[in-house]
Amino acid sequence: MISVNLIPKPRRERQEARRRREAWIRFLRFYSIVLAVGCALAMLPAHAAPPSLESSIARLDRRIEVTTKALDESGKQLSALSRKLDLARAVGDHPDWSILLAAIARARADDALLESFDLSIIKVEEKPAKEAAKPAPNAKPIVREIVVVKLTGLCTSPAGCFQFAHTLEQLDLFDRVVVKDTRSQALGALPVTHFEIEAFVPAAPIPASPLSPAATPPPKAPAHGGAK
């Protein structure tokens, strides 16, 4: 699961608490109704004439049937509430990429046209600084998940491609922005420049498994591009 989340954490916590509170209120209401019905059924024989053995057995069978149905219905509702809570938790932890898309759209100039938007995740092992002390032999390496945003599109000139990359860098959403490729092509009778830009969104470090292979560092910028 992607660990970057652009929704403020207090807001996600309030939403989760409200969903749990509403689920418990619905469950307690249903449980109160079932309990009231059970108590009413239990008090009926005390106010009736002494029943025969057959009628008592029949009434007991009906009571067991009603209670079993109520328990089955309660179990179904609990399962449905559990699924809703799991879904709400999953949605709450998932990042809202619409915010990132809106920011990229605002950064795009009038002479730029986006063709594709792609997200991927790479894991990069953090290396200690040269002056830092060597880590313990049994220490587990720390890897960082990085979300790579790949954009392709067209600009009216090569300068427009690099200006678009520079504008993305100024958003303070990316760790770095790289122009991977630019090439000239024709759009009908109009000469344009096709570009490929990669922007890297850093995430929180995660502990790496000692059995996992070494992570591959992110690709370096080519000689002709790179906002940083």
Side-chain angles (χ1 to χ4, degrees):
M1 179 180 289
I2 298 177
S3 58
V4 177
N5 200 327
L6 301 178
I7 300 178
K9 184 177 180 181
R11 179 180 176 185
R12 289 187 284 114
E13 291 177 348
R14 290 194 299 270
Q15 291 176 346
E16 182 68 16
R18 184 171 62 254
R19 294 188 187 100
R20 289 197 298 266
R21 184 170 59 251
E22 292 176 354
W24 275 108
I25 290 174
R26 289 193 294 269
F27 170 72
L28 290 176
R29 286 177 179 173
F30 178 78
Y31 182 75
S32 300
I33 294 174
V34 173
L35 186 60
V37 172
C39 292
L41 292 176
M43 295 176 61
L44 285 178
H47 301 281
S52 63
L53 180 60
E54 293 181 357
S55 61
S56 298
I57 294 176
R59 188 162 39 248
L60 182 60
D61 290 339
R62 289 194 299 270
R63 189 182 307 170
I64 293 175
E65 183 180 357
V66 171
T67 304
T68 302
K69 289 182 179 180
L71 289 176
D72 292 341
E73 185 66 23
S74 178
K76 292 179 181 179
Q77 290 199 4
L78 284 177
S79 299
L81 289 175
S82 178
R83 289 193 297 270
K84 289 182 180 179
L85 288 175
D86 292 339
L87 179 61
R89 190 177 296 109
V91 172
D93 293 338
H94 197 74
D96 186 1
W97 294 113
S98 62
I99 299 176
L100 181 61
L101 288 172
I104 293 175
R106 288 193 299 269
R108 182 183 60 84
D110 294 336
D111 62 345
L113 174 66
L114 291 179
E115 288 182 333
S116 66
F117 175 91
D118 182 67
L119 289 174
S120 61
I121 297 178
I122 59 175
K123 295 182 180 181
V124 181
E125 182 177 343
E126 289 190 340
K127 297 181 179 180
K130 294 182 179 180
E131 62 273 9
K134 293 183 178 180
N138 296 330
K140 294 182 179 180
I142 300 298
V143 297
R144 182 181 294 274
E145 282 188 348
I146 297 180
V147 180
V148 182
V149 181
K150 181 179 178 181
L151 304 171
T152 61
L154 301 173
C155 275
T156 56
S157 65
C161 303
F162 290 96
Q163 180 60 39
F164 180 37
H166 179 70
T167 306
L168 291 175
E169 187 182 33
Q170 301 302 314
L171 296 176
D172 292 332
L173 294 176
F174 306 106
D175 184 53
R176 62 193 181 99
V177 180
V178 177
V179 179
K180 295 288 294 182
D181 181 53
T182 58
R183 61 179 181 273
S184 299
Q185 67 179 55
L187 183 63
L190 179 66
V192 294
T193 301
H194 184 273
F195 65 84
E196 179 181 332
I197 295 176
E198 287 187 354
F200 300 89
V201 182
I206 59 174
S209 171
L211 300 179
S212 61
T216 304
K220 296 181 179 179
H224 62 272
K228 279 192 178 181

